Amino acid sequence: QVQLVDAGGGLVQPGGPLRLSCAASGFTFSSYFMSWYRQAPGRERELVAGIASSGGSTNYADSVKGRFTISRDNAKNTVYLQMTSLKPEDTAVYYCNALRRALTIIYGDYWGQGTQVTVSS
């Protein structure tokens, strides 16, 4: 059974750091593009960061570029999101996503349960 377990969320002060993790099981983790999404109340779910299966390529939303870093450890089947210089507008539920595709054909698309990040003083 495919499972993505998000963890590491919590309450943090503005400007502070926080690291999220997502532990994967039930599929070939190293074959999947991994990403983090977030959704705030009343807002659309947005892509925050993504990383290629090898870890060699990454991409970020403009709003987090320079502050967040996505990484993965294929030996541990885990993807991370290191967040720094957090802002109140970063407050959201963060979701881990695993995607396997070839052109427009999607072979796998899995989601974690979400972890709450609250940035407040």
Side-chain angles (χ1 to χ4, degrees):
Q1 182 176 343
V2 170
Q3 189 170 32
L4 296 175
V5 180
D6 303 339
L11 176 64
V12 62
Q13 293 184 344
L18 199 64
R19 189 179 75 160
L20 307 182
S21 64
C22 172
S25 61
F27 64 98
T28 306
F29 178 81
S30 61
S31 297
Y32 279 69
F33 180 89
M34 301 299 299
S35 61
W36 288 95
Y37 288 74
R38 68 185 181 188
Q39 187 168 26
R43 309 289 287 271
E44 294 284 334
R45 185 173 296 189
E46 65 171 338
L47 176 65
V48 176
I51 186 166
S53 59
S54 68
S57 298
T58 59
N59 60 76
Y60 299 91
D62 288 342
S63 60
V64 307
K65 194 172 298 181
R67 299 189 297 120
F68 292 9
T69 301
I70 188 171
S71 62
R72 67 192 294 161
D73 187 340
N74 285 348
K76 296 181 178 180
N77 286 0
T78 302
V79 64
Y80 304 92
L81 185 67
Q82 179 65 57
M83 304 181 291
T84 61
S85 301
L86 282 164
K87 305 174 181 179
E89 49 263 46
D90 294 319
T91 296
V93 177
Y94 285 70
Y95 298 90
C96 178
N97 172 254
L99 178 67
R100 184 183 181 190
R101 61 175 171 84
L103 297 177
T104 61
I105 303 173
I106 297 175
Y107 295 98
D109 188 1
Y110 310 117
W111 293 88
Q113 82 286 353
T115 184
Q116 176 72 48
V117 173
T118 302
V119 184
S120 176
S121 60

